[in-house]
């Protein structure tokens, strides 16, 4: 049965049910039937129905159902103060000991995740889920949210196990909507854990299932999970494309990454000399409230974006990472250390680069993110292989190789751009040539300068390479 049809049936039954609590339960079940498929903007009538069923004096069950549904819809539609409804729902659920009822158990778990407290999911609800006697579809939803909480709070390996069990139960129940949501989470988890073929397979499965279920909800955050896959695979261009999409569509509001997506994209622009584009991304955008995941470090990150080669700005950003001490911030802290370490490497500061890249490795390893560890280790190996740093007059100056004088003007322009951190596509756009032409010149540059990769090029080519006229 279509989720829309099921929800309509439940809501119609709710309107013809005399018992207010029973009617409220039916409306809440209608919400759950739609929560994995419908666009959030279509859900407010369900909250309105629950509002009609409130009474004076209030009934605890109806109040919990009203506040949960209203709060979840509010978070998804970015309504101010929506979290207050969720806090009220959790307080009443605890006060009236409603967790043994699987409907209230599911809603309490959902509220906890919507409040961005994934680390509370397992200690509060795992034993109740283990004891729950319910149908496979609801158990699949419960296991899926529990696994999401594990992974989100930095226990990727335990989360992976729970998500696989959720997917098995959803398949058993024949629920494409639950399968789609769970598979979408597995894209990111498998990518972070280093199983790129599995992550790629789940990406294809999620797209197919989301289309089969007509799931606007899952379709809206496929890009966020795909971005993690591209980052883990080292596909920078695809990752940037996903970031631009995420920033443009404000995806990430419910995962806590809405700010980090924008800061990441601004960082890339700043590191590639596009300060105006970086400024435009962050202009007039306030820092998030301190309770937001990653918030303690975002002001210092913003300041570093404004001065990406400034040692003092980098030191302040590094110091701010100490404030990211919540489980939900474990992956973010490792990522920020990686960004800083990679920039120190570009600037020839090998000791700082090694320290921060090792910090990132340690953070990722502690969460089970083997895929990200592999990426950071590759950067560490490049730092170790780089020739000893030569004293620089400025951050832009690097050692000049004697063979640089043999580069043609076109090769010199390509070398400058690549040494500055641009991708082949970005160099092609800047010089108005094809990517194949850039690849051809880059091969000649590597051969003439005796370097093996872009990192060694950045460490041996001077910004002031002699240039000549003519097109690349």
């Amino acid at each position: 049965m279509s989720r829309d049809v099921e929800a309509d049936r439940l809501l119609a039954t709710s309107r013809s049910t005399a018992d207010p609590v029973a009617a409220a339960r039916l409306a809440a079940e209608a919400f759950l039937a739609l929560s994995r498929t419908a666009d959030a903007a279509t859900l407010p009538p369900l909250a309105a129905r629950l509002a009609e069923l409130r009474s004076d004096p209030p009934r605890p069950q109806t109040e919990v159902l009203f506040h949960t549904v209203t709060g979840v819809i509010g978070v998804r539609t970015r309504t101010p103060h929506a979290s207050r409804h969720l806090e009220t729902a959790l307080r009443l659920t605890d006060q009236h000991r409603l967790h043994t009822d699987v409907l209230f158990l599911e809603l309490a778990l959902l509220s906890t995740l919507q409040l961005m407290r994934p680390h509370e999911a397992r200690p509060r609800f795992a034993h109740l889920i283990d004891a729950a006697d319910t149908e496979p579809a609801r158990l699949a939803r419960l296991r899926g949210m529990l696994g999401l909480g594990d992974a989100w709070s930095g226990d990727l390996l335990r989360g992976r196990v729970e998500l696989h069990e959720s997917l098995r139960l959803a398949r058993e129940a024949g629920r494409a909507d639950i399968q789609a949501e769970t598979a979408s989470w597995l894209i990111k988890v498998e990518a972070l854990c280093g199983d790129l073929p599995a992550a790629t397979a789940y990406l294809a499965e999620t797209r197919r299932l989301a289309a089969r279920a007509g799931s606007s909800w899952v379709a809206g955050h496929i890009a966020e999970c795909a971005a993690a896959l591209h980052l883990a695979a080292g596909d920078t261009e695809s990752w940037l494309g996903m970031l631009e999409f995420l920033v443009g569509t404000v995806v990430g509001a419910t995962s806590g990454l809405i700010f980090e997506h924008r800061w990441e994209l601004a960082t890339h622009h700043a590191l590639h000399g596009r300060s105006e584009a970086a400024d435009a991304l962050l202009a007039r955008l306030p820092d998030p409230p301190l309770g937001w995941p990653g918030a303690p470090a975002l002001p210092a990150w913003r300041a570093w974006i404004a001065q990406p080669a400034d040692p003092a700005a980098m030191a302040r950003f590094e110091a701010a990472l100490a404030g990211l001490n919540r489980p939900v911030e474990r992956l973010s802290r490792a990522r920020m250390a990686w960004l800083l370490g990679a920039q120190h490497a570009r600037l020839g500061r090998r000791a700082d680069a090694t320290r921060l890249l090792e910090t990132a490795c340690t953070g990722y390893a502690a969460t089970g993110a083997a895929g990200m560890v592999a990426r950071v280790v590759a950067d560490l190996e490049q730092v170790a292989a780089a020739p000893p740093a030569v004293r620089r007059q400025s951050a832009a100056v690097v050692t000049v190789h004697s063979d640089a004088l043999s580069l043609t003007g076109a090769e010199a322009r390509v070398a400058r751009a690549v040494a500055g951190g641009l991708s082949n596509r970005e160099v092609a756009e800047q010089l108005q040539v094809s990517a194949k032409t850039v690849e051809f010149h880059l091969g000649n540059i590597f051969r003439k300068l005796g370097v093996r990769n872009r990192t060694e090029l950045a460490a041996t080519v001077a910004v002031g390479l002699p240039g000549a006229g003519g097109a690349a």
Side-chain angles (χ1 to χ4, degrees):
M1 181 188 300
S2 162
R3 297 301 107 196
D4 291 342
V5 172
E6 180 186 357
D8 288 346
R9 179 182 60 79
L10 288 165
L11 196 55
T13 305
S14 168
R15 294 191 183 283
S16 62
T17 299
D19 180 357
V21 173
R25 291 181 66 98
L26 288 165
E29 293 286 11
F31 164 75
L32 290 174
L34 289 176
S35 65
R36 286 161 179 82
T37 55
D39 187 291
T42 68
L43 297 175
L46 294 167
R49 172 59 182 152
L50 286 162
E52 295 170 357
L53 294 166
R54 299 177 77 188
S55 61
D56 187 16
R59 301 179 184 88
Q61 294 94 330
T62 303
E63 290 299 295
V64 169
L65 299 174
F66 164 75
H67 283 294
T68 302
V69 173
T70 302
V72 171
I73 295 171
V75 168
R76 294 185 181 182
T77 56
R78 296 184 291 281
T79 302
H81 312 303
S83 62
R84 294 179 184 175
H85 287 287
L86 300 175
E87 297 279 11
T88 299
L90 287 174
R91 177 177 55 78
L92 291 172
T93 301
D94 288 340
Q95 180 181 338
H96 296 280
R97 303 179 183 275
L98 300 175
H99 296 106
T100 54
D101 184 316
V102 290
L103 172 60
F104 289 93
L105 171 60
E106 181 172 358
L107 293 174
L109 182 51
L110 180 59
S111 294
T112 300
L113 294 179
Q114 293 280 202
L115 286 167
M116 291 187 247
R117 299 176 187 166
H119 59 286
E120 295 181 7
R122 179 162 291 278
R124 290 190 65 180
F125 305 116
H127 65 290
L128 297 168
I129 295 171
D130 290 340
D133 182 14
T134 187
E135 70 277 9
R138 192 183 299 274
L139 191 56
R141 295 197 301 254
L142 291 169
R143 289 286 175 198
M145 286 191 287
L146 185 62
L148 173 62
D150 289 332
W152 190 359
S153 55
D155 192 344
L156 290 169
L157 301 182
R158 175 174 263 177
R160 189 189 205 180
V161 170
E162 290 287 3
L163 289 171
H164 280 292
E165 175 62 10
S166 170
L167 192 56
R168 183 191 70 78
L169 289 164
R171 287 169 177 161
E172 178 184 325
R175 290 289 297 271
D177 58 326
I178 305 173
Q179 292 178 62
E181 186 177 49
T182 304
S184 74
W185 295 333
L186 278 166
I187 299 167
K188 190 169 188 176
V189 170
E190 294 289 6
L192 293 173
C193 288
D195 193 338
L196 298 182
T200 302
Y202 282 123
L203 177 57
E205 183 177 2
T206 298
R207 288 171 175 153
R208 176 179 59 79
L209 289 166
R212 180 179 155 197
S215 180
S216 173
W217 167 246
V218 173
H221 62 81
I222 287 175
E224 184 175 341
C225 299
L229 170 57
H230 295 312
L231 179 61
D235 186 349
T236 302
E237 292 185 6
S238 295
W239 173 67
L240 286 172
M242 290 295 96
L243 276 186
E244 290 169 354
F245 173 83
L246 295 171
V247 169
T249 55
V250 205
V251 172
T254 58
S255 67
L257 293 175
I258 187 170
F259 289 91
E260 286 188 39
H261 292 152
R262 188 173 290 267
W263 263 243
E264 284 260 20
L265 188 55
T267 299
H268 180 80
H269 287 317
L271 293 178
H272 291 80
R274 298 188 290 271
S275 58
E276 290 184 3
D279 292 344
L281 278 168
L282 303 183
R284 297 182 300 279
L285 184 69
D287 294 326
L290 279 179
W292 195 276
L298 289 183
W301 188 354
R302 183 198 291 266
W304 173 54
I305 290 170
Q307 296 178 293
D310 179 45
M314 297 179 76
R316 285 191 293 271
F317 185 18
E318 181 180 352
L321 301 187
L324 305 183
N325 49 31
R326 292 177 292 173
V328 72
E329 296 168 328
R330 296 171 75 189
L331 289 167
S332 295
R333 178 173 177 169
R335 173 59 180 159
M336 293 177 201
W338 182 13
L339 286 170
L340 274 171
Q343 175 66 345
H344 277 302
R346 292 186 197 96
L347 298 172
R349 302 169 187 153
R350 297 175 71 195
D352 291 328
T354 301
R355 182 185 70 255
L356 279 154
L357 291 173
E358 287 288 8
T359 298
C361 266
T362 299
Y364 280 133
T367 67
M372 308 313 291
V373 169
R375 291 289 319 283
V376 180
V377 166
D379 282 0
L380 272 167
E381 290 173 347
Q382 289 186 339
V383 171
V390 174
R391 184 172 60 87
R392 294 158 174 79
Q393 298 303 314
S394 73
V397 179
V398 290
T399 307
V400 183
H401 194 288
S402 60
D403 283 347
L405 298 176
S406 67
L407 297 185
T408 67
E411 289 167 353
R413 286 189 290 277
V414 171
R416 288 192 198 96
V418 171
L422 298 186
S423 68
N424 286 4
R425 186 185 70 176
E426 291 167 332
V427 174
E429 291 174 353
Q430 183 181 91
L431 300 181
Q432 296 184 330
V433 298
S434 71
K436 289 292 184 184
T437 298
V438 173
E439 292 174 8
F440 173 78
H441 287 318
L442 200 54
N444 288 338
I445 292 163
F446 281 13
R447 176 176 54 79
K448 289 180 179 181
L449 300 186
V451 298
R452 297 169 296 175
N453 52 48
R454 302 167 95 90
T455 300
E456 291 184 9
L457 177 63
T460 58
V461 177
V463 173
L465 280 172

PDB file of all heavy atoms in Angstrom, residues 20-46:
ATOM      1  N   PRO A  20     -10.517  10.430  22.173  1.00  0.00           N
ATOM      2  CA  PRO A  20      -9.476  11.383  21.748  1.00  0.00           C
ATOM      3  C   PRO A  20      -8.075  10.788  21.734  1.00  0.00           C
ATOM      4  O   PRO A  20      -7.285  11.107  20.844  1.00  0.00           O
ATOM      5  CB  PRO A  20      -9.589  12.514  22.777  1.00  0.00           C
ATOM      6  CG  PRO A  20     -10.958  12.396  23.338  1.00  0.00           C
ATOM      7  CD  PRO A  20     -11.280  10.932  23.330  1.00  0.00           C
ATOM      8  N   VAL A  21      -7.757   9.940  22.716  1.00  0.00           N
ATOM      9  CA  VAL A  21      -6.410   9.360  22.749  1.00  0.00           C
ATOM     10  C   VAL A  21      -6.225   8.383  21.589  1.00  0.00           C
ATOM     11  O   VAL A  21      -5.194   8.398  20.900  1.00  0.00           O
ATOM     12  CB  VAL A  21      -6.150   8.654  24.096  1.00  0.00           C
ATOM     13  CG1 VAL A  21      -4.823   7.909  24.070  1.00  0.00           C
ATOM     14  CG2 VAL A  21      -6.154   9.678  25.235  1.00  0.00           C
ATOM     15  N   ALA A  22      -7.228   7.554  21.335  1.00  0.00           N
ATOM     16  CA  ALA A  22      -7.138   6.631  20.202  1.00  0.00           C
ATOM     17  C   ALA A  22      -7.049   7.391  18.885  1.00  0.00           C
ATOM     18  O   ALA A  22      -6.295   7.017  17.978  1.00  0.00           O
ATOM     19  CB  ALA A  22      -8.358   5.701  20.200  1.00  0.00           C
ATOM     20  N   ALA A  23      -7.810   8.485  18.778  1.00  0.00           N
ATOM     21  CA  ALA A  23      -7.762   9.296  17.566  1.00  0.00           C
ATOM     22  C   ALA A  23      -6.384   9.934  17.385  1.00  0.00           C
ATOM     23  O   ALA A  23      -5.859  10.024  16.264  1.00  0.00           O
ATOM     24  CB  ALA A  23      -8.840  10.370  17.623  1.00  0.00           C
ATOM     25  N   ALA A  24      -5.800  10.369  18.491  1.00  0.00           N
ATOM     26  CA  ALA A  24      -4.467  10.981  18.426  1.00  0.00           C
ATOM     27  C   ALA A  24      -3.417   9.958  18.019  1.00  0.00           C
ATOM     28  O   ALA A  24      -2.501  10.261  17.245  1.00  0.00           O
ATOM     29  CB  ALA A  24      -4.110  11.607  19.774  1.00  0.00           C
ATOM     30  N   ARG A  25      -3.560   8.737  18.516  1.00  0.00           N
ATOM     31  CA  ARG A  25      -2.617   7.676  18.132  1.00  0.00           C
ATOM     32  C   ARG A  25      -2.682   7.424  16.624  1.00  0.00           C
ATOM     33  O   ARG A  25      -1.658   7.260  15.959  1.00  0.00           O
ATOM     34  CB  ARG A  25      -2.916   6.395  18.892  1.00  0.00           C
ATOM     35  CG  ARG A  25      -2.614   6.431  20.385  1.00  0.00           C
ATOM     36  CD  ARG A  25      -2.945   5.079  21.025  1.00  0.00           C
ATOM     37  NE  ARG A  25      -2.053   4.051  20.523  1.00  0.00           N
ATOM     38  CZ  ARG A  25      -0.964   3.622  21.167  1.00  0.00           C
ATOM     39  NH1 ARG A  25      -0.626   4.156  22.346  1.00  0.00           N
ATOM     40  NH2 ARG A  25      -0.204   2.685  20.652  1.00  0.00           N
ATOM     41  N   LEU A  26      -3.881   7.393  16.081  1.00  0.00           N
ATOM     42  CA  LEU A  26      -4.039   7.167  14.644  1.00  0.00           C
ATOM     43  C   LEU A  26      -3.401   8.298  13.836  1.00  0.00           C
ATOM     44  O   LEU A  26      -2.760   8.059  12.812  1.00  0.00           O
ATOM     45  CB  LEU A  26      -5.519   7.033  14.295  1.00  0.00           C
ATOM     46  CG  LEU A  26      -6.188   5.726  14.760  1.00  0.00           C
ATOM     47  CD1 LEU A  26      -7.711   5.852  14.691  1.00  0.00           C
ATOM     48  CD2 LEU A  26      -5.701   4.550  13.910  1.00  0.00           C
ATOM     49  N   ALA A  27      -3.567   9.533  14.296  1.00  0.00           N
ATOM     50  CA  ALA A  27      -2.945  10.666  13.597  1.00  0.00           C
ATOM     51  C   ALA A  27      -1.427  10.583  13.661  1.00  0.00           C
ATOM     52  O   ALA A  27      -0.726  10.899  12.680  1.00  0.00           O
ATOM     53  CB  ALA A  27      -3.438  11.977  14.189  1.00  0.00           C
ATOM     54  N   ALA A  28      -0.896  10.156  14.814  1.00  0.00           N
ATOM     55  CA  ALA A  28       0.551   9.999  14.950  1.00  0.00           C
ATOM     56  C   ALA A  28       1.068   8.880  14.055  1.00  0.00           C
ATOM     57  O   ALA A  28       2.139   8.995  13.444  1.00  0.00           O
ATOM     58  CB  ALA A  28       0.924   9.729  16.406  1.00  0.00           C
ATOM     59  N   GLU A  29       0.309   7.789  13.948  1.00  0.00           N
ATOM     60  CA  GLU A  29       0.708   6.695  13.055  1.00  0.00           C
ATOM     61  C   GLU A  29       0.679   7.166  11.600  1.00  0.00           C
ATOM     62  O   GLU A  29       1.522   6.765  10.786  1.00  0.00           O
ATOM     63  CB  GLU A  29      -0.214   5.485  13.238  1.00  0.00           C
ATOM     64  CG  GLU A  29      -0.104   4.784  14.590  1.00  0.00           C
ATOM     65  CD  GLU A  29       1.159   3.949  14.740  1.00  0.00           C
ATOM     66  OE1 GLU A  29       2.076   4.050  13.894  1.00  0.00           O
ATOM     67  OE2 GLU A  29       1.243   3.187  15.731  1.00  0.00           O
ATOM     68  N   ALA A  30      -0.278   8.028  11.259  1.00  0.00           N
ATOM     69  CA  ALA A  30      -0.315   8.596   9.910  1.00  0.00           C
ATOM     70  C   ALA A  30       0.938   9.418   9.641  1.00  0.00           C
ATOM     71  O   ALA A  30       1.518   9.368   8.537  1.00  0.00           O
ATOM     72  CB  ALA A  30      -1.565   9.462   9.731  1.00  0.00           C
ATOM     73  N   PHE A  31       1.380  10.168  10.650  1.00  0.00           N
ATOM     74  CA  PHE A  31       2.614  10.937  10.508  1.00  0.00           C
ATOM     75  C   PHE A  31       3.806  10.014  10.269  1.00  0.00           C
ATOM     76  O   PHE A  31       4.629  10.255   9.376  1.00  0.00           O
ATOM     77  CB  PHE A  31       2.851  11.787  11.756  1.00  0.00           C
ATOM     78  CG  PHE A  31       4.255  12.306  11.857  1.00  0.00           C
ATOM     79  CD1 PHE A  31       4.679  13.357  11.060  1.00  0.00           C
ATOM     80  CD2 PHE A  31       5.163  11.722  12.741  1.00  0.00           C
ATOM     81  CE1 PHE A  31       5.990  13.825  11.135  1.00  0.00           C
ATOM     82  CE2 PHE A  31       6.462  12.183  12.822  1.00  0.00           C
ATOM     83  CZ  PHE A  31       6.879  13.236  12.018  1.00  0.00           C
ATOM     84  N   LEU A  32       3.912   8.931  11.046  1.00  0.00           N
ATOM     85  CA  LEU A  32       5.025   8.007  10.885  1.00  0.00           C
ATOM     86  C   LEU A  32       4.981   7.325   9.523  1.00  0.00           C
ATOM     87  O   LEU A  32       6.028   7.035   8.929  1.00  0.00           O
ATOM     88  CB  LEU A  32       5.018   6.954  12.001  1.00  0.00           C
ATOM     89  CG  LEU A  32       5.371   7.488  13.400  1.00  0.00           C
ATOM     90  CD1 LEU A  32       5.187   6.399  14.449  1.00  0.00           C
ATOM     91  CD2 LEU A  32       6.798   8.032  13.433  1.00  0.00           C
ATOM     92  N   ALA A  33       3.779   7.074   9.014  1.00  0.00           N
ATOM     93  CA  ALA A  33       3.654   6.460   7.690  1.00  0.00           C
ATOM     94  C   ALA A  33       4.222   7.364   6.608  1.00  0.00           C
ATOM     95  O   ALA A  33       4.745   6.889   5.594  1.00  0.00           O
ATOM     96  CB  ALA A  33       2.187   6.146   7.395  1.00  0.00           C
ATOM     97  N   LEU A  34       4.142   8.682   6.823  1.00  0.00           N
ATOM     98  CA  LEU A  34       4.599   9.641   5.814  1.00  0.00           C
ATOM     99  C   LEU A  34       5.993  10.190   6.075  1.00  0.00           C
ATOM    100  O   LEU A  34       6.593  10.805   5.192  1.00  0.00           O
ATOM    101  CB  LEU A  34       3.623  10.832   5.757  1.00  0.00           C
ATOM    102  CG  LEU A  34       2.246  10.575   5.156  1.00  0.00           C
ATOM    103  CD1 LEU A  34       1.390  11.826   5.281  1.00  0.00           C
ATOM    104  CD2 LEU A  34       2.366  10.172   3.687  1.00  0.00           C
ATOM    105  N   SER A  35       6.520  10.001   7.280  1.00  0.00           N
ATOM    106  CA  SER A  35       7.731  10.719   7.689  1.00  0.00           C
ATOM    107  C   SER A  35       8.956  10.355   6.869  1.00  0.00           C
ATOM    108  O   SER A  35       9.926  11.118   6.826  1.00  0.00           O
ATOM    109  CB  SER A  35       8.015  10.483   9.177  1.00  0.00           C
ATOM    110  OG  SER A  35       8.319   9.119   9.415  1.00  0.00           O
ATOM    111  N   ARG A  36       8.951   9.182   6.198  1.00  0.00           N
ATOM    112  CA  ARG A  36      10.099   8.760   5.399  1.00  0.00           C
ATOM    113  C   ARG A  36       9.894   8.958   3.903  1.00  0.00           C
ATOM    114  O   ARG A  36      10.719   8.518   3.109  1.00  0.00           O
ATOM    115  CB  ARG A  36      10.429   7.300   5.701  1.00  0.00           C
ATOM    116  CG  ARG A  36      11.097   7.148   7.051  1.00  0.00           C
ATOM    117  CD  ARG A  36      11.032   5.743   7.602  1.00  0.00           C
ATOM    118  NE  ARG A  36      11.731   5.704   8.879  1.00  0.00           N
ATOM    119  CZ  ARG A  36      11.185   6.088  10.028  1.00  0.00           C
ATOM    120  NH1 ARG A  36       9.943   6.538  10.069  1.00  0.00           N
ATOM    121  NH2 ARG A  36      11.891   6.034  11.152  1.00  0.00           N
ATOM    122  N   THR A  37       8.773   9.577   3.547  1.00  0.00           N
ATOM    123  CA  THR A  37       8.510   9.786   2.129  1.00  0.00           C
ATOM    124  C   THR A  37       8.121  11.221   1.805  1.00  0.00           C
ATOM    125  O   THR A  37       8.556  11.776   0.804  1.00  0.00           O
ATOM    126  CB  THR A  37       7.390   8.849   1.628  1.00  0.00           C
ATOM    127  OG1 THR A  37       6.218   9.039   2.439  1.00  0.00           O
ATOM    128  CG2 THR A  37       7.820   7.389   1.714  1.00  0.00           C
ATOM    129  N   ALA A  38       7.306  11.837   2.632  1.00  0.00           N
ATOM    130  CA  ALA A  38       6.706  13.124   2.267  1.00  0.00           C
ATOM    131  C   ALA A  38       7.654  14.298   2.472  1.00  0.00           C
ATOM    132  O   ALA A  38       8.514  14.279   3.356  1.00  0.00           O
ATOM    133  CB  ALA A  38       5.433  13.352   3.077  1.00  0.00           C
ATOM    134  N   ASP A  39       7.457  15.314   1.666  1.00  0.00           N
ATOM    135  CA  ASP A  39       8.112  16.588   1.893  1.00  0.00           C
ATOM    136  C   ASP A  39       7.554  17.183   3.180  1.00  0.00           C
ATOM    137  O   ASP A  39       6.350  17.136   3.436  1.00  0.00           O
ATOM    138  CB  ASP A  39       7.837  17.520   0.712  1.00  0.00           C
ATOM    139  CG  ASP A  39       8.632  18.811   0.808  1.00  0.00           C
ATOM    140  OD1 ASP A  39       8.322  19.614   1.712  1.00  0.00           O
ATOM    141  OD2 ASP A  39       9.521  19.018  -0.020  1.00  0.00           O
ATOM    142  N   ALA A  40       8.438  17.761   4.002  1.00  0.00           N
ATOM    143  CA  ALA A  40       8.014  18.274   5.310  1.00  0.00           C
ATOM    144  C   ALA A  40       6.909  19.308   5.192  1.00  0.00           C
ATOM    145  O   ALA A  40       6.056  19.428   6.082  1.00  0.00           O
ATOM    146  CB  ALA A  40       9.212  18.867   6.045  1.00  0.00           C
ATOM    147  N   ALA A  41       6.884  20.055   4.100  1.00  0.00           N
ATOM    148  CA  ALA A  41       5.886  21.117   3.942  1.00  0.00           C
ATOM    149  C   ALA A  41       4.465  20.581   3.822  1.00  0.00           C
ATOM    150  O   ALA A  41       3.502  21.325   4.013  1.00  0.00           O
ATOM    151  CB  ALA A  41       6.224  21.960   2.716  1.00  0.00           C
ATOM    152  N   THR A  42       4.330  19.275   3.533  1.00  0.00           N
ATOM    153  CA  THR A  42       2.997  18.684   3.381  1.00  0.00           C
ATOM    154  C   THR A  42       2.469  18.093   4.682  1.00  0.00           C
ATOM    155  O   THR A  42       1.330  17.623   4.725  1.00  0.00           O
ATOM    156  CB  THR A  42       3.016  17.573   2.312  1.00  0.00           C
ATOM    157  OG1 THR A  42       3.802  16.458   2.795  1.00  0.00           O
ATOM    158  CG2 THR A  42       3.612  18.075   1.001  1.00  0.00           C
ATOM    159  N   LEU A  43       3.267  18.128   5.745  1.00  0.00           N
ATOM    160  CA  LEU A  43       2.908  17.433   6.983  1.00  0.00           C
ATOM    161  C   LEU A  43       2.124  18.253   8.017  1.00  0.00           C
ATOM    162  O   LEU A  43       1.493  17.662   8.903  1.00  0.00           O
ATOM    163  CB  LEU A  43       4.178  16.883   7.654  1.00  0.00           C
ATOM    164  CG  LEU A  43       4.946  15.826   6.854  1.00  0.00           C
ATOM    165  CD1 LEU A  43       6.237  15.460   7.569  1.00  0.00           C
ATOM    166  CD2 LEU A  43       4.094  14.579   6.629  1.00  0.00           C
ATOM    167  N   PRO A  44       2.136  19.587   7.994  1.00  0.00           N
ATOM    168  CA  PRO A  44       1.447  20.355   9.046  1.00  0.00           C
ATOM    169  C   PRO A  44      -0.009  19.976   9.308  1.00  0.00           C
ATOM    170  O   PRO A  44      -0.457  20.095  10.466  1.00  0.00           O
ATOM    171  CB  PRO A  44       1.576  21.799   8.561  1.00  0.00           C
ATOM    172  CG  PRO A  44       2.882  21.818   7.846  1.00  0.00           C
ATOM    173  CD  PRO A  44       2.928  20.492   7.132  1.00  0.00           C
ATOM    174  N   PRO A  45      -0.823  19.524   8.321  1.00  0.00           N
ATOM    175  CA  PRO A  45      -2.196  19.127   8.667  1.00  0.00           C
ATOM    176  C   PRO A  45      -2.270  18.032   9.725  1.00  0.00           C
ATOM    177  O   PRO A  45      -3.252  17.970  10.487  1.00  0.00           O
ATOM    178  CB  PRO A  45      -2.764  18.644   7.327  1.00  0.00           C
ATOM    179  CG  PRO A  45      -2.011  19.436   6.311  1.00  0.00           C
ATOM    180  CD  PRO A  45      -0.612  19.536   6.854  1.00  0.00           C
ATOM    181  N   LEU A  46      -1.249  17.189   9.805  1.00  0.00           N
ATOM    182  CA  LEU A  46      -1.242  16.150  10.832  1.00  0.00           C
ATOM    183  C   LEU A  46      -1.058  16.770  12.218  1.00  0.00           C
ATOM    184  O   LEU A  46      -1.694  16.344  13.191  1.00  0.00           O
ATOM    185  CB  LEU A  46      -0.137  15.142  10.544  1.00  0.00           C
ATOM    186  CG  LEU A  46      -0.337  14.329   9.261  1.00  0.00           C
ATOM    187  CD1 LEU A  46       0.946  13.585   8.896  1.00  0.00           C
ATOM    188  CD2 LEU A  46      -1.482  13.343   9.430  1.00  0.00           C
TER     189      LEU A  46
END
